Every structure is written in C-alpha cells, then in structure tokens.
C-alpha cells in the first residue's frame, strides 16, 4: 500500500544537518531569522519557550525535557527561558552568548545551567522542497517520545564526527527522524494543518492513500468523497481543514511534484509522463505544468534550476 508520508519525505531528500548543544542559564532569550530552512530543537534537560512568528501573531509553545520541535520552513522565531516572555518583532535581545566546543553557552555564565538543548537545521535537497513543505504542518511538536531524543543524539554525534560513510548515515538518520516526528505528531490534536493531520483521520487517510497510489486517475471532489465515505460537502470541509488546502489543490500540487521528479530523471517520453500524472495529452499537461511551475516541461527537463531562478 502506498504511504503518502514516506513518499513526501523521500522526495524532500534531507541532507547533512547543522547541530549544536546549547547550555542556558535563566533568564535568557534568543531570536533567530532563518531563510526558510528546516529548524529542529530537542530539550534534553530543563525547559524553555518557543515562539514561531506568523502574520496572525504566531504560536508560543512551552517545551519541557524530552520535547522535540521541527519547523519545516523556519523564517522567524524566538526561544526564551520559562521565566520571561519570548521577544517579538524588533524587540532587542541582550542575552550574552558564548561559543563553546560543539555549541553555545547562553545567559550569565556565572549562573548554574538549568536548560540543555540540541538545536540545528537540515537541508531539503529536492528542487520541489517548497512545494512539498507546503504539504507538511507549519510546526511539529512531539512530547513523550524517547525514540526521537535518541535519534537526535545520534544525529548530533554523527554530524560532529569524521567517520566513514558519514553523509550516508546522516541522510538515513534524518529520514527516520522526520518520519518519526511526523507520524508521532499526526496522532495529536494539536498538529497544525498539513498532510500529517489528515493521515491521522481514517477517512481522509484512505483517500490520500488512494490519491497517492493513482494520481493519474480522473479524480473529482465527489469521487474522493466516496472513497472517504462522506458527503461531498462534509469531505471538502474536513479535508480543507485538516490539510490546509482544498482537495483538488492538494492533488494538483502532488501531480506537479511527481511530474518534476519524472522530468528530472529523463527516462520517460513526455506523453508517458503526462499520462502518469493524470493528463490525457501532452498539450494539456504542458499548459498545466507551465502555469504551475512557470516554464514548459521540456525546458524544465533540460534545466530544473531555471524554475528556481524565476525564468
């Protein structure tokens, strides 16, 4: 049976992370601005707050020892000790930070350490990373999963060691880490909208598996609703709320991700690629692909980086 979550993680192609150990003494606060990179944080000891910015004001999470957070596309966020508010916007942060081997010392070094974190970021090497990340929750918070803490320790150790086959081991650890975090989060009501939340809903999970199994099928909202054994209106509302986008928008995004993968491989004729992603003719596929990606499929096949350049 097709596993949508495994397919998305495999297409993302996670690569070597940056990881560091952070020792902190309250009170402290740190603000970071990333360029859309995946950011993760594991609380090894103590606790802290994490505020994730958004146009609507953002979300603040209170984290304790054993908690794990993944932000698939981090842009602006702040962490702080439990005894002070997290900084917002342009609010200045004056917490002293000192470099130390393998990480950083945060807060007054004369005060006792009360929090230990493992933080870092990885890279999604897929040219479709932005599209695929849009299928994931905006943030992932997992509590009470010792397996994740163990995996994070392994990732941190491997990233700092110069061992044979280091890059291969890291890539595999990252895939396992992502899948563990995503499937654990899908079982929690607090998961933000995305593929993971939908996979925790049995009727929607059946529909998503069928959709991933046969993206070329002539799907309609009514047909997808029958797969879920729901009325058309109930299915549309339930899917849109769980995934964060309407069913046909999700289907189009997945078809385009598969099309881009097949075009990069350059092993199939254009007509077969069009058929595999649900288009009866090369011209219909070309129109849809160009509208979605910004350049014709033939040109994308020759130079996938042209799409990122906005050509």
């Amino acid at each position: 049976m097709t596993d949508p979550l495994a397919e998305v993680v495999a297409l993302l192609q996670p690569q070597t992370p940056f990881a560091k150990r952070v020792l902190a003494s309250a009170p402290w606060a740190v603000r970071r601005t990333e360029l859309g990179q995946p950011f993760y944080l594991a609380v090894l000891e103590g606790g802290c707050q994490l505020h994730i910015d958004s146009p609507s004001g953002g979300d603040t999470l209170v984290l304790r020892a054993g908690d794990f957070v993944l932000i698939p596309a981090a842009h602006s966020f702040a962490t702080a000790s439990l005894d002070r508010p997290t900084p917002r916007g342009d609010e200045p942060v004056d917490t002293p930070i000192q470099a130390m081997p393998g990480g950083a010392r945060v807060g007054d070094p004369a005060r006792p350490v009360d929090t230990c974190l493992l933080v870092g970021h990885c890279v999604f090497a897929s040219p479709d990373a932005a599209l695929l990340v849009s299928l994931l929750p905006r943030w992932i918070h997992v509590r009470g999963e010792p397996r994740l803490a163990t995996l994070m320790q392994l990732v941190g150790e491997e990233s700092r060691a110069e061992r044979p086959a280091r890059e291969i081991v890291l890539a595999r650890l990252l895939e396992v880490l992502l899948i563990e975090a995503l499937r654990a989060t899908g079982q929690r009501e607090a998961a933000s909208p995305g593929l993971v939340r939908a996979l925790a809903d049995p009727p929607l999970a059946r529909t998503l598996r069928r959709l991933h199994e046969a993206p070329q099928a002539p799907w309609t909202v009514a047909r997808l609703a029958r797969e879920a054994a729901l009325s058309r209106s109930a299915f549309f509302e339930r899917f849109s709320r769980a995934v964060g986008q309407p069913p046909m928008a999700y289907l189009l995004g997945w078809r385009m991700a598969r099309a881009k993968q097949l075009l990069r491989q350059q092993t199939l004729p254009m007509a077969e690629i069009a058929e595999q992603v649900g288009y009866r003719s090369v011209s219909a596929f070309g129109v849809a692909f160009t509208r979605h990606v910004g350049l014709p499929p033939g040109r994308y096949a020759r130079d996938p980086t042209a799409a990122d350049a906005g050509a």
Side-chain angles (χ1 to χ4, degrees):
M1 182 181 291
T2 300
D3 184 342
L5 180 57
E7 285 195 314
V8 170
V9 173
L11 283 179
L12 280 170
Q13 299 173 37
Q15 289 189 352
T16 307
F18 161 78
K20 68 179 179 181
R21 195 161 172 260
V22 175
L23 303 180
S25 303
W28 59 272
V30 176
R31 183 160 189 81
R32 295 181 61 172
T33 299
E34 304 288 340
L35 299 176
Q37 292 180 319
F39 171 84
Y40 55 78
L41 180 154
V43 183
L44 304 180
E45 298 174 20
C48 67
Q49 300 176 81
L50 171 66
H51 180 81
I52 306 163
D53 292 337
S54 76
S56 61
D59 301 292
T60 299
L61 309 177
V62 176
L63 309 178
R64 304 288 183 180
D67 285 13
F68 173 84
V69 176
L70 171 69
I71 310 175
H75 289 282
S76 182
F77 61 93
T79 49
S81 52
L82 297 173
D83 59 351
R84 60 153 295 166
T86 53
R88 310 291 175 87
D90 296 327
E91 181 183 340
V93 177
D94 56 4
T95 299
I97 301 176
Q98 297 179 346
M100 67 176 194
R105 180 72 167 84
V106 176
D108 185 349
R111 296 177 66 88
V113 171
D114 53 30
T115 299
C116 178
L117 311 173
L118 189 65
V119 305
H121 64 258
C122 56
V123 175
F124 294 147
S126 170
D128 309 323
L131 184 153
L132 294 165
V133 165
S134 72
L135 307 180
L136 301 178
R138 198 169 67 85
W139 51 263
I140 295 159
H141 176 202
V142 183
R143 173 166 287 168
E145 292 288 340
R147 288 162 60 92
L148 281 172
T150 301
L151 283 167
M152 286 299 302
Q153 290 281 22
L154 290 171
V155 168
E157 290 171 8
E158 196 67 32
S159 67
R160 291 188 293 271
E162 293 296 333
R163 296 170 178 159
R166 173 177 175 269
E167 301 302 324
I168 296 174
V169 172
L170 278 170
R172 299 298 178 268
L173 283 174
L174 274 168
E175 284 198 20
V176 175
L177 178 65
L178 284 171
I179 293 172
E180 284 286 344
L182 290 165
R183 72 182 183 183
T185 303
Q187 301 168 4
R188 291 162 168 76
E189 292 183 2
S192 59
L195 175 64
V196 180
R197 180 189 281 185
L199 288 174
D201 184 330
L204 297 184
R206 284 197 303 272
T207 302
L208 283 162
R209 289 191 179 98
R210 288 288 294 120
L211 188 153
H212 277 250
E213 197 173 79
Q216 75 281 3
W219 295 111
T220 63
V221 173
R223 184 175 173 185
L224 290 169
R226 286 196 297 273
E227 291 283 345
L230 297 169
S231 70
R232 186 183 184 281
S233 59
F235 169 74
F236 184 89
E237 181 182 350
R238 191 160 164 174
F239 188 102
S240 301
R241 185 173 62 249
V243 178
Q245 56 183 294
M248 302 314 288
Y250 179 92
L251 174 61
L252 176 62
W254 181 246
R255 282 175 167 172
M256 292 299 107
R258 290 283 295 122
K260 291 170 80 173
Q261 180 192 37
L262 294 170
L263 287 166
R264 289 194 302 272
Q265 292 173 350
Q266 298 185 342
T267 58
L268 297 175
M270 195 69 69
E272 190 168 341
I273 292 175
E275 183 179 348
Q276 285 200 21
V277 295
Y279 293 90
R280 294 184 178 181
S281 69
V282 170
S283 60
F285 167 61
V287 169
F289 188 92
T290 303
R291 182 184 300 122
H292 192 83
V293 177
L295 69 163
R299 185 176 174 196
Y300 179 85
R302 293 191 298 272
D303 182 13
T305 61
D308 299 328

